[in-house]
Amino acid sequence: MSFIDLSKNEVQCKIVYYGPGRGGKTTNLLYIHQAMTESVRGKMVTIDTKGDRTLFFDFLPLALGKIQNLSIKIQLYTVPGQVMYNATRKLVLKGVDGIVFVADSLKVQKEKNIESLENLRQNLAEDSIYINEIPLVMQYNKRDLEGSNIPILSVEEMDKDLNSELQVPWFTGSALRGDGVFETLREISKRTVKYVSKKLLSR
């Protein structure tokens, strides 16, 4: 949930990177952290395990300038994608203002992508948030594997599987190389700030 700190003239927004396990959520945040200057980024907190990339969440605060007199601070989170961590995903989703769904282009992950999106829809609904109403951007990650001998899904197939109903903005990406990472962040930040501003003005 967005938070206004009047003592600092600051608005804080929460964006969560969601998606199947090992799909590239943490890699997105690591790339952003490495590319940003220290004056813009805060300290990134991440908990790695040997088997799975993220056990609890990754957290990266960013400063994105000002709107009128208010400084805009964005907090980026990831969630663990593995099925067993649904309670953690629900916890991290609390108070979310915008979501990036990072889908895995590997063909073997087709069903996992669909299951993860449905899981997102259900977890949001439990908090009375409808997936169509919150800012959401898709990223079809691991496109750097195109042309390799690893079977991957076409962009058209991913869009049909995941976005035919939602019709939200999407970007192809390679979080490893940084392709599409900032395009995705810019779009979700723009939509989230607009969404939060609208909510604040309606209070």
Side-chain angles (χ1 to χ4, degrees):
M1 183 184 295
S2 53
F3 171 75
I4 304 178
D5 186 340
L6 289 175
S7 66
K8 295 181 181 173
N9 282 339
E10 185 176 293
V11 180
Q12 294 179 3
C13 309
K14 181 178 186 179
I15 294 174
V16 174
Y17 280 63
Y18 210 93
R22 306 181 77 81
K25 303 178 294 297
T26 296
T27 311
N28 264 272
L29 260 62
L30 285 170
Y31 188 86
I32 293 165
H33 181 257
Q34 286 162 7
M36 291 281 195
T37 61
E38 285 187 14
S39 61
V40 173
R41 72 183 190 206
K43 186 178 178 185
M44 181 162 169
V45 178
T46 187
I47 303 171
D48 291 344
T49 62
K50 285 182 182 175
D52 296 316
R53 189 61 183 272
T54 305
L55 178 63
F56 191 63
F57 63 81
D58 306 307
F59 170 70
L60 174 60
L62 297 176
L64 292 188
K66 286 191 172 187
I67 291 182
Q68 295 182 342
N69 288 329
L70 294 173
S71 300
I72 306 296
K73 295 280 176 71
I74 298 273
Q75 299 177 334
L76 304 180
Y77 287 80
T78 66
V79 293
Q82 293 73 23
V83 174
M84 69 185 90
Y85 295 124
N86 196 40
T88 304
R89 284 196 291 280
K90 287 181 184 179
L91 194 64
V92 177
L93 272 180
K94 291 275 182 201
V96 66
D97 296 303
I99 297 166
V100 173
F101 187 84
V102 181
D104 193 327
S105 292
L106 292 178
K107 212 158 199 166
V108 293
Q109 291 290 79
K110 179 182 168 82
E111 291 306 317
K112 297 281 185 197
N113 288 331
I114 296 170
E115 286 169 13
S116 180
L117 185 62
E118 186 51 34
N119 174 258
L120 170 63
R121 186 192 305 271
Q122 288 171 3
N123 285 342
L124 288 173
E126 284 186 22
D127 258 354
S128 303
I129 300 171
Y130 296 100
I131 196 168
N132 309 70
E133 295 173 359
I134 192 161
L136 173 66
V137 170
M138 297 266 177
Q139 183 189 86
Y140 304 145
N141 192 28
K142 302 188 184 176
R143 300 315 299 179
D144 53 301
L145 294 174
E146 275 179 333
S148 73
N149 57 1
I150 299 172
I152 63 168
L153 298 159
S154 69
V155 170
E156 292 74 21
E157 193 174 359
M158 295 181 81
D159 205 45
K160 186 180 171 194
D161 285 346
L162 306 169
N163 201 19
S164 57
E165 180 201 332
L166 294 169
Q167 295 286 305
V168 296
W170 58 267
F171 297 88
T172 56
S174 165
L176 265 181
R177 297 193 310 210
D179 301 343
V181 170
F182 278 100
E183 289 83 349
T184 306
L185 178 63
R186 262 194 297 274
E187 185 64 27
I188 191 61
S189 299
K190 188 175 72 179
R191 287 172 176 263
T192 300
V193 169
K194 194 174 170 187
Y195 173 75
V196 167
S197 303
K198 203 172 168 184
K199 278 202 303 185
L200 293 177
L201 288 171
S202 66
R203 284 181 182 174

